[in-house]
Amino acid sequence: MTDLRNNAPRRYFVDAGGRRVLIGLTLEETFEFERLDSKPVADLSEGQVLRDGKVPWPAAGEQRWQELYAKHDGAWKAWLVQNRGERAVGFSLY
């Protein structure tokens, strides 16, 4: 089976300062999203939720993560549609 992960377009762009920013988010939102995405919490006692049924996350952090992801994902899908036509026109095997 072919590994398709390397064939997917990257979801980041490089801003004028040379920093990676998620499509549809600001630099600050990208930083916040990545911080929330990499920070599991081990205590379920204070209103936390389970993400993917495995790793506990704070409910407020999970909600903000979902907001940022939804914003990014919407912009990402629009970017794909916009660029799909450009790639098809410039695509040539020979």
Side-chain angles (χ1 to χ4, degrees):
M1 183 170 175
T2 305
D3 184 3
L4 299 177
R5 288 177 291 179
N6 293 329
N7 294 333
R10 299 183 192 272
R11 289 183 169 233
Y12 290 89
F13 68 93
V14 178
D15 71 2
R19 298 167 294 215
R20 289 181 343 139
V21 180
L22 280 164
I23 293 173
L25 300 184
T26 65
L27 176 63
E28 293 78 14
E29 288 171 331
T30 297
F31 177 77
E32 181 182 7
F33 176 83
E34 289 177 338
R35 181 181 56 81
L36 290 169
D37 195 49
S38 67
K39 190 174 183 180
V41 179
D43 183 13
L44 291 174
S45 65
E46 297 184 26
Q48 297 171 339
V49 295
L50 286 177
R51 179 173 158 152
D52 298 332
K54 299 174 187 172
V55 181
W57 287 58
E62 176 71 11
Q63 182 177 353
R64 180 62 178 152
W65 181 92
Q66 288 178 358
E67 290 169 2
L68 292 169
Y69 182 80
K71 183 178 178 183
H72 160 66
D73 196 49
W76 170 247
K77 288 175 182 174
W79 183 89
L80 283 175
V81 168
Q82 177 184 0
N83 289 292
R84 188 170 293 145
E86 293 174 13
R87 275 186 264 153
V89 170
F91 182 73
S92 175
L93 291 175
Y94 305 101

